[in-house]
Amino acid sequence: MMRKTVIFLLAALCAVSCFKDPNFDPISGESGSSSPTPRVPTEETRHVMLMVSAGYNSLSSYLTDDLEDLASGTLPLANRQADVLLVLSRLPQNRLSTTTAPVLYRMYADRDGEVVRDTLRTWGTSTPICTPDLLNETLTFIKDKYPAKGYGMVFSSHASGWIPQMEVKSQTKTVGQDKQGSASFEIDMEEFAAAIPYRMDYILFDACFMACVEVAWELRGKADIVGFSPAEVLAEGFVYKTLTQRLLQKEPDPVAVCRDYFEQYDPVSGSATITVVDTRKMDRLATVCKQLFQKYRSDIFGLAWPDVQYYFRPSYSYAADVKHLFDLQDILVQAGVSPEDKADFDAALKECILYEAHTPQFLSIPLMRACGLSMYLPTSGSYEISSYYAEHTAWNKATELVVLK
C-alpha cells in the first residue's frame, strides 16, 4: 500500500486498546470474567468481522488513523445477540523504535455509547503478526469463542499479490509486512490461503496489488467474496467510519465497502482501482482461459510487456519487484484473440466480477484497457519466477499458462 511514512505517537491508542470497562459486563467469559462463554443460539444469526491491521511498518500512522475511524463508526453492543467486531493489530510506537506485541481485542460500545476495547489475547513482543501460524491460531480461536452464522476479514497492510518473497530485491511485500529490526516477515499468498481454517463470507484487502486472478483463485473455498485493488491503494484506504454499517448487518455487503472506497475519489482526477470477485463463479473463467492460453500460447509468449496494460508505475522504485502485474483481458487482446473467443472470455469474466471500477488513470498509469484483474505475463519474468509460478500458483495448475519443459 502506497502510504507516506510520518512520525506519530501511538501511546494513547495502546493505552486504550487493552482494557475492559469495569462497569459494563454483559457477557460472561470475556477477558474480565472467570466463567466460559456459553454457546447460545446467536450463532445462527450473528456475524463476526475480523479487522487485521498489520502496521508494524511504514504504514503505521495511517493504520492507526483507520482504527480510530473504525471506532468512530457504528459499533455493536456487547451482548449475546450482537454481532462481533474483532481487531488483530500490531502497531509501533516512536517510529518502530519501541517493540510492541500483537493484540487481539473486541471492540464494542458500552451502555453509555463509549468505545470499549476488550483484550482477548496478546503475544510476545518478539512475535511478528504476519505469519501463517498466528493467522491460523487467531481464526481458530475466533471460531471457537464466537460461533456465528458468518465470518469475514478486512486485511490492511503492504502487499504485492501472488508475487513471492523469493522475488524480493528491495520492497516486494507479498501479503502483509511486519518489521523486526532488519528482518521483514511476510506471508506468501499460498501460505495465506492455507492458514485460513474455514470458509469466510468475504475477505477485503486494503492493500496494494492484490486484485490478481491468481489471488482470487487461491482463495476459492476460503472466501466467497474477495475485494481488492489491482493497482496501488492510496493512503486513506477504505472508508472505515462506515465499515461496520456495511459488514455487520443482517447480510454483509462487501460490494458497498468497495464502492465507498472508490467513490471517495474524484472520478476524473482521482486515482483508484477496485474489484470484487465471487470466487464461487470462477470455474468458467478458468476453463475458458485454459483453452485460450493453449490456442494463443505463442502469441502470449511473444508479447513485449510495454505493449500490455500494466498496473504498476514503471519508473517507481518498486517496479522491478512488481513488474509482473498485467491486465488479464488485455494480455489476450494484445495476443490477437478472435472476437468470438473474446466474447467467451468476457462472458466468463462478467459472471464472476460483482463490481469493478477504476479512474481513467492511476497517478501516471493510463487505465484505458483495464478489466480489474491482473495476471502474470510470462515474458515479464525470469526463469526463476516462472518456475515458482508454475509450481506454486493454483491458477497456473488450473489453466497451464506456464508449462515447464
Side-chain angles (χ1 to χ4, degrees):
M1 188 180 296
M2 186 203 69
R3 305 188 183 197
K4 298 177 183 177
T5 305
V6 298
I7 300 174
F8 75 103
L9 295 174
L10 192 62
L13 177 63
C14 292
V16 296
S17 292
C18 304
F19 79 94
K20 179 164 182 159
D21 180 358
N23 299 315
F24 187 61
D25 189 18
I27 294 181
S28 63
E30 296 287 87
S31 61
S33 175
S34 58
S35 58
T37 303
R39 297 205 169 202
V40 293
T42 54
E43 62 189 80
E44 299 176 1
T45 59
R46 70 176 173 186
H47 293 271
V48 175
M49 171 193 153
L50 172 64
M51 175 74 223
V52 179
S53 186
Y56 206 79
N57 51 52
S58 61
L59 300 180
S60 53
S61 64
Y62 288 104
L63 269 61
T64 300
D65 290 343
D66 291 344
L67 293 182
E68 289 300 299
D69 286 344
L70 185 66
S72 70
T74 303
L75 297 180
L77 300 175
N79 58 53
R80 294 187 179 90
Q81 288 72 41
D83 293 327
V84 178
L85 172 60
L86 302 171
V87 177
L88 173 65
S89 71
R90 185 168 186 249
L91 299 168
Q93 299 181 52
N94 305 322
R95 293 194 301 171
L96 305 179
S97 62
T98 303
T99 303
T100 55
V103 58
L104 174 68
Y105 59 90
R106 181 177 184 178
M107 186 186 295
Y108 57 89
D110 68 11
R111 64 182 64 177
D112 298 318
E114 297 296 321
V115 178
V116 178
R117 296 174 175 88
D118 182 12
T119 298
L120 305 176
R121 299 203 64 173
T122 59
W123 290 263
T125 56
S126 62
T127 304
I129 195 174
C130 290
T131 66
D133 289 345
L134 192 141
L135 178 62
N136 178 269
E137 178 184 341
T138 300
L139 291 173
T140 301
F141 172 84
I142 290 171
K143 182 70 174 290
D144 181 67
K145 187 171 180 63
Y146 299 105
K149 177 182 179 182
Y151 300 84
M153 175 174 19
V154 178
F155 190 99
S156 183
S157 189
H158 283 295
S160 59
W162 65 269
I163 301 173
Q165 285 184 266
M166 61 165 283
E167 186 67 3
V168 172
K169 296 183 180 68
S170 58
Q171 298 295 322
T172 302
K173 296 295 181 294
T174 55
V175 187
Q177 184 198 42
D178 200 274
K179 300 292 289 185
Q180 294 274 31
S182 60
S184 179
F185 290 85
E186 300 150 19
I187 311 177
D188 287 349
M189 194 61 230
E190 186 180 19
E191 297 174 330
F192 182 91
I196 300 172
Y198 46 85
R199 184 194 64 79
M200 309 192 84
D201 294 332
Y202 60 85
I203 298 178
L204 304 180
F205 292 100
D206 188 2
C208 295
F209 302 124
M210 290 301 291
C212 316
V213 68
E214 296 90 349
V215 169
W217 188 260
E218 195 75 48
L219 290 173
R220 288 167 67 250
K222 300 293 185 174
D224 292 345
I225 307 299
V226 181
F228 40 17
S229 169
E232 294 166 87
V233 173
L234 295 182
E236 287 71 20
F238 289 162
V239 183
Y240 283 87
K241 288 184 179 180
T242 60
L243 207 61
T244 54
Q245 296 176 35
R246 304 302 194 188
L247 299 177
L248 291 180
Q249 56 177 327
K250 185 175 181 180
E251 292 297 332
D253 192 352
V255 171
V257 173
C258 294
R259 186 179 291 111
D260 289 344
Y261 163 73
F262 183 76
E263 291 180 351
Q264 70 181 315
Y265 295 97
D266 185 279
V268 177
S269 61
S271 291
T273 62
I274 195 71
T275 305
V276 183
V277 170
D278 187 335
T279 65
R280 297 165 295 185
K281 298 180 179 179
M282 292 188 70
D283 287 346
R284 182 182 176 189
L285 181 65
T287 298
V288 171
C289 283
K290 182 176 181 178
Q291 295 168 351
L292 298 183
F293 294 163
Q294 181 177 1
K295 185 175 181 178
Y296 296 95
R297 181 171 302 281
S298 61
D299 300 294
I300 292 173
F301 277 75
L303 292 173
W305 74 259
D307 297 332
V308 184
Q309 175 70 64
Y310 46 81
Y311 287 103
F312 57 92
R313 289 181 285 162
S315 62
Y316 201 60
S317 59
Y318 63 72
D321 296 327
V322 294
K323 64 179 182 180
H324 315 304
L325 304 172
F326 294 82
D327 190 78
L328 169 60
Q329 183 184 69
D330 200 48
I331 289 175
L332 293 170
V333 170
Q334 299 308 316
V337 65
S338 71
E340 295 78 15
D341 287 337
K342 185 176 183 298
D344 287 343
F345 169 83
D346 289 346
L349 186 68
K350 183 178 180 180
E351 187 175 316
C352 62
I353 290 187
L354 300 177
Y355 175 74
E356 188 278 326
H358 60 271
T359 49
Q361 67 178 55
F362 188 95
L363 299 177
S364 61
I365 313 168
L367 295 175
M368 305 309 295
R369 308 193 309 268
C371 77
L373 281 178
S374 71
M375 191 181 75
Y376 179 49
L377 179 65
T379 52
S380 71
S382 62
Y383 176 79
E384 288 74 19
I385 193 69
S386 289
S387 297
Y388 175 92
Y389 188 87
E391 296 171 1
H392 292 277
T393 62
W395 173 253
N396 190 73
K397 294 174 183 177
T399 62
E400 300 179 356
L401 172 66
V402 177
V403 180
L404 296 179
K405 306 214 176 175

